[in-house]
Amino acid sequence: KLAVVAFVRRHWAVLMLVLLPLVPLWRTVAFGETIGPFDQIRQMKPWNVPAQGGAWDVLQADGVLQFYVWRDLVLDSWRRLEPPFWNPLQLCGAPLLANSQSGGFYPLHVLLGALQCPTPLAVVLLAWFHLAWAGLGARFLALRLGANGWGAALSGSAFGLSAFMLAWTPLASVVTTVSWIPWCLGLTVPSVGVSKLRQGALLALGVGMMLLGGHLQFAAYGLIGVAVMAIVLAAGRKDASILAVGACALVGGLIAAPQLVPTLEYSKFSHRAGKPSAEGWAAYSALALRPVELAGIVFPGATGLPGQSVEIGGSSMPSFWPAYAKRGANFAESAVSLGPAVVLVLGLLIARRRWQGLAGPLIVAAVGGLLAFGPLSALLYFGLPGWSSTGSPGRAVVLVLLGLSVAAGLAVREMSGDRSWRPLLWTALMAIGLTTLLTVPVPEATESWLAPQFPLGQVARGSLAMAGPAMLIGLGLALFGLWQTADGLAMAV
């Protein structure tokens, strides 16, 4: 018993980050369900049943119509110990390996297939692993940059269980790819006692796994994050080498080449393929993040939730109100939520002006913001071949969320044992409440793309009311945790 207690005390953060993803996945554990909005497609052939309740979400439906099927085909091929070259179900057949989001050569897919794991269970295990892996990666990055135990745990939980990660879970290649980004960034940070050869090999492996994960746009954002972090470290440390990081990234590309090369070749025939143009840029940049989508930066529920509806004037409307203000907006694409704990800590940082050691994650977040809101994405759209065929530039917000989550974790180090932070906690708490109340009524002054008279403000306030209890609980937990940290708990870690 003493050995178990000692183990838990020593590894509590790792155990917490491994077990926390089971909270949002509780139905899969309790009822043996799998992941995906299967009810949304039962009105289609061959089921032809009446439409189910809840709001339709076309992006989430792809989790069943595409991603689940791709995983099933890949796993079935590896159950027969055959490489997943071909998809016989699409048209008269289509390449499966050359569709990068199938993740045909991703090692965990190979392993689960060879172990004869049923697809429904495999999808759940993969989701659990990658949510935990993303959290552990953010913790690893924070520790590499000098965070203490409590701060690194905050970084890991904030990123691994962010609204962004949870919203993209049914679209499996996204979470698979993104889960490797913090590990790759962490492995660019030189570490005392770790040989450069070993660290370089691990970085190359991490980049290879990120590329094999399947979503090349998010992998590209991960590589951009690695490049930014390497430049920042090289500017401040003599032992950091941009060329060495670049060489490791190149080796990672070679590791992923058996899947990457067919994908790049087959992409020439994609319906998205085309040269960049002024008209194409106008359509592409229209999908960039807008300020109205920042209403959920503290609480994701403030913008409404996918699948939930609100009653307005006797009519049932989807509760995700940014979709009425921006054509094409989607909860997953707009999941710009840091959570109350991270916002509290960052607010305290701003109040006290303590930025020591935060350059790396903050600059990564800044570059991600410039990409997500559009200005920097123009360079990629017109300057990088093939970039004009990628999806919404707003997806670069993943770098913002990762960078700010890690920055908050580093800031906890400054708060440890310092009771002078306590009055500022209450100030930041009031600022959060005021920010939420002022941000949500913004739709009153925002013209809906549906119609000028559309009750956008009513839908927004209805969404806020639905999420109110969860907001209060989350804010209470965040405040309690930071209060205890400021009282000296973190000093003991």
Side-chain angles (χ1 to χ4, degrees):
K1 291 183 179 180
L2 292 177
V4 172
V5 171
F7 179 84
V8 171
R9 285 182 175 178
R10 184 177 180 182
H11 301 288
W12 66 268
V14 173
L15 294 173
M16 179 188 73
L17 293 174
V18 168
L19 295 176
L20 272 179
L22 294 177
V23 176
L25 298 176
W26 71 272
R27 292 188 63 91
T28 65
V29 178
F31 303 117
E33 297 178 349
T34 191
I35 297 171
F38 289 88
D39 287 343
Q40 290 192 11
I41 68 168
R42 295 194 185 282
Q43 57 190 297
M44 303 177 181
K45 293 183 178 180
W47 303 280
N48 295 318
V49 301
Q52 301 295 308
W56 171 267
D57 189 324
V58 64
L59 183 65
Q60 294 299 314
D62 283 348
V64 175
L65 297 174
Q66 293 180 306
F67 289 88
Y68 184 89
V69 180
W70 291 335
R71 291 294 175 273
D72 186 49
L73 288 170
V74 167
L75 292 171
D76 186 60
S77 291
W78 288 117
R79 289 182 193 112
R80 303 190 304 271
L81 301 181
E82 297 176 0
F85 291 126
W86 195 247
N87 176 2
L89 304 180
Q90 184 177 347
L91 302 177
C92 293
L96 180 61
L97 180 63
N99 168 11
S100 68
Q101 298 205 59
S102 69
F105 283 164
Y106 186 64
L108 288 183
H109 297 165
V110 178
L111 176 63
L112 289 174
L115 292 176
Q116 306 294 312
C117 184
T119 301
L121 177 59
V123 168
V124 172
L125 293 175
L126 289 167
W128 180 17
F129 174 83
H130 290 110
L131 289 175
W133 195 241
L136 292 170
R139 174 180 179 268
F140 172 74
L141 174 57
L143 289 173
R144 275 293 180 94
L145 292 173
N148 61 24
W150 284 87
L154 171 63
S155 298
S157 57
F159 183 69
L161 290 182
S162 63
F164 182 92
M165 294 295 291
L166 296 179
W168 283 102
T169 297
L171 289 81
S173 65
V174 175
V175 178
T176 301
T177 303
V178 168
S179 70
W180 289 94
I181 294 179
W183 288 98
C184 291
L185 266 65
L187 288 167
T188 65
V189 182
S191 178
V192 178
V194 179
S195 69
K196 293 183 178 180
L197 180 61
R198 179 184 177 186
Q199 181 158 329
L202 290 174
L203 176 57
L205 179 62
V207 170
M209 294 292 283
M210 183 172 66
L211 293 170
L212 288 171
H215 203 294
L216 295 186
Q217 183 183 11
F218 280 103
Y221 288 137
L223 291 174
I224 291 172
V226 167
V228 171
M229 183 66 74
I231 292 171
V232 173
L233 293 173
R237 298 184 180 185
K238 295 181 180 180
D239 57 347
S241 173
I242 299 175
L243 291 178
V245 171
C248 293
L250 179 60
V251 174
L254 294 176
I255 293 174
Q259 179 179 300
L260 185 60
V261 172
T263 296
L264 295 178
E265 285 296 316
Y266 190 53
S267 67
K268 298 175 183 179
F269 305 100
S270 170
H271 66 286
R272 290 186 177 183
K275 295 182 179 180
S277 63
E279 296 80 6
W281 167 247
Y284 183 78
S285 59
L287 297 175
L289 284 181
R290 295 184 184 177
V292 70
E293 295 173 89
L294 296 179
I297 192 167
V298 182
F299 302 103
T303 58
L305 297 173
Q308 293 188 356
S309 302
V310 294
E311 297 294 327
I312 304 294
S315 299
S316 180
M317 299 180 179
S319 68
F320 181 65
W321 56 263
Y324 304 118
K326 169 189 168 183
R327 188 184 294 271
N330 179 276
F331 182 82
E333 304 276 10
S334 305
V336 191
S337 182
L338 294 167
V342 172
V343 174
L344 273 170
V345 173
L346 294 177
L348 295 174
L349 271 182
I350 295 172
R352 295 289 289 267
R353 299 181 181 179
R354 294 190 181 182
W355 308 101
Q356 296 90 339
L358 303 183
L362 289 180
I363 293 176
V364 167
V367 171
L370 291 173
L371 288 167
F373 282 94
L376 197 56
S377 287
L379 297 177
L380 297 177
Y381 181 88
F382 290 104
L384 190 62
W387 195 268
S388 60
S389 301
T390 61
S392 165
R395 296 172 180 176
V397 75
V398 65
L399 296 180
V400 179
L401 300 174
L402 176 58
L404 294 182
S405 296
V406 172
L410 291 168
V412 170
R413 176 186 56 199
E414 300 291 330
M415 297 174 57
S416 300
D418 187 353
R419 290 176 178 268
S420 66
W421 290 94
R422 284 189 166 188
L424 288 174
L425 278 175
W426 291 110
T427 303
L429 173 63
M430 291 186 290
I432 281 183
L434 185 62
T435 300
T436 303
L437 292 176
L438 290 179
T439 311
V440 173
V442 163
E444 293 283 19
T446 303
E447 183 176 346
S448 170
W449 65 268
L450 290 176
Q453 69 276 14
F454 185 80
L456 190 52
Q458 295 182 45
V459 177
R461 285 191 296 274
S463 301
L464 182 63
M466 291 171 56
M471 291 180 180
L472 292 175
I473 293 172
L475 186 57
L477 290 173
L479 186 60
F480 175 78
L482 294 180
W483 184 278
Q484 294 301 313
T485 300
D487 203 27
L489 286 180
M491 295 293 290
V493 180

